[in-house]
Amino acid sequence: TVMTTASTITGVFTDAERQAILDEYGPLVTRRVAAKIIGSSERTIGRQVDAGRLKMYKVGCARSLRVRTTDVLDLVERVA
Protein backbone atom coordinates (compact mmCIF):
# COMPACT_ATOMS: atom_id res chain seq x y z
CA THR A 1 0.00 0.00 0.00
CA VAL A 2 1.05 3.57 -0.58
CA MET A 3 0.00 5.07 2.74
CA THR A 4 0.45 3.53 6.15
CA THR A 5 -2.44 3.22 8.56
CA ALA A 6 -1.39 6.37 10.43
CA SER A 7 -1.31 8.38 7.21
CA THR A 8 -4.67 7.01 6.14
CA ILE A 9 -6.24 8.09 9.41
CA THR A 10 -4.54 11.46 9.87
CA GLY A 11 -3.88 12.46 6.27
CA VAL A 12 -0.36 13.51 7.25
CA PHE A 13 2.68 11.89 5.67
CA THR A 14 5.95 11.38 7.48
CA ASP A 15 9.12 12.46 5.70
CA ALA A 16 9.96 8.80 5.08
CA GLU A 17 6.52 8.14 3.53
CA ARG A 18 6.80 11.21 1.30
CA GLN A 19 10.24 10.10 0.13
CA ALA A 20 9.05 6.54 -0.51
CA ILE A 21 6.18 7.82 -2.65
CA LEU A 22 8.51 10.13 -4.60
CA ASP A 23 10.99 7.29 -5.09
CA GLU A 24 8.24 4.97 -6.35
CA TYR A 25 6.32 7.36 -8.62
CA GLY A 26 8.74 10.20 -9.43
CA PRO A 27 8.21 13.97 -9.33
CA LEU A 28 5.30 14.14 -11.83
CA VAL A 29 2.34 11.76 -12.04
CA THR A 30 -0.77 11.27 -14.15
CA ARG A 31 -4.26 11.83 -12.76
CA ARG A 32 -4.62 8.07 -12.46
CA VAL A 33 -1.49 7.70 -10.35
CA ALA A 34 -2.36 10.78 -8.26
CA ALA A 35 -5.73 9.20 -7.52
CA LYS A 36 -4.03 5.93 -6.56
CA ILE A 37 -1.63 7.71 -4.21
CA ILE A 38 -4.40 9.39 -2.22
CA GLY A 39 -7.04 6.71 -2.62
CA SER A 40 -9.52 8.72 -4.68
CA SER A 41 -10.87 8.68 -8.23
CA GLU A 42 -9.40 10.29 -11.33
CA ARG A 43 -12.51 12.43 -11.45
CA THR A 44 -11.75 13.79 -7.97
CA ILE A 45 -8.26 14.75 -9.12
CA GLY A 46 -9.82 16.46 -12.15
CA ARG A 47 -12.16 18.42 -9.87
CA GLN A 48 -9.20 19.54 -7.76
CA VAL A 49 -7.44 20.73 -10.92
CA ASP A 50 -10.58 22.56 -12.10
CA ALA A 51 -10.95 24.21 -8.68
CA GLY A 52 -7.33 25.41 -8.82
CA ARG A 53 -6.16 23.25 -5.92
CA LEU A 54 -3.82 21.23 -8.16
CA LYS A 55 -1.91 22.50 -11.16
CA MET A 56 -1.42 20.41 -14.30
CA TYR A 57 1.85 20.62 -16.24
CA LYS A 58 2.44 19.78 -19.90
CA VAL A 59 5.24 17.28 -20.34
CA GLY A 60 6.60 16.76 -23.83
CA CYS A 61 3.71 16.73 -26.25
CA ALA A 62 0.58 18.76 -25.44
CA ARG A 63 -1.47 15.66 -24.58
CA SER A 64 0.84 14.55 -21.79
CA LEU A 65 -0.40 16.29 -18.62
CA ARG A 66 0.92 15.63 -15.14
CA VAL A 67 0.57 16.90 -11.58
CA ARG A 68 3.44 17.23 -9.16
CA THR A 69 3.58 14.38 -6.69
CA THR A 70 4.42 16.78 -3.86
CA ASP A 71 1.36 18.90 -4.73
CA VAL A 72 -0.85 15.81 -4.41
CA LEU A 73 0.63 14.98 -1.02
CA ASP A 74 0.31 18.61 0.12
CA LEU A 75 -3.34 18.64 -0.94
CA VAL A 76 -4.08 15.66 1.30
CA GLU A 77 -2.37 17.38 4.22
CA ARG A 78 -4.28 20.66 3.64
CA VAL A 79 -7.61 18.86 3.57
CA ALA A 80 -6.90 16.63 6.60
Side-chain angles (χ1 to χ4, degrees):
T1 62
V2 176
M3 296 190 326
T4 65
T5 305
S7 296
T8 305
I9 294 169
T10 64
V12 177
F13 296 94
T14 65
D15 290 339
E17 289 170 329
R18 289 176 76 88
Q19 190 58 53
I21 291 168
L22 285 167
D23 289 345
E24 183 173 349
Y25 297 106
L28 296 170
V29 294
T30 62
R31 286 185 192 197
R32 178 173 291 158
V33 173
K36 179 180 176 182
I37 289 171
I38 63 172
S40 71
S41 69
E42 289 181 57
R43 188 170 180 189
T44 297
I45 298 299
R47 282 193 223 108
Q48 299 303 315
V49 170
D50 292 343
R53 294 183 193 105
L54 283 175
K55 184 175 179 182
M56 297 289 295
Y57 296 91
K58 290 182 183 180
V59 178
C61 65
R63 295 189 62 174
S64 184
L65 297 173
R66 303 284 189 267
V67 292
R68 282 166 145 200
T69 308
T70 54
D71 289 349
V72 174
L73 300 175
D74 292 343
L75 176 68
V76 172
E77 291 179 352
R78 283 195 310 263
V79 173

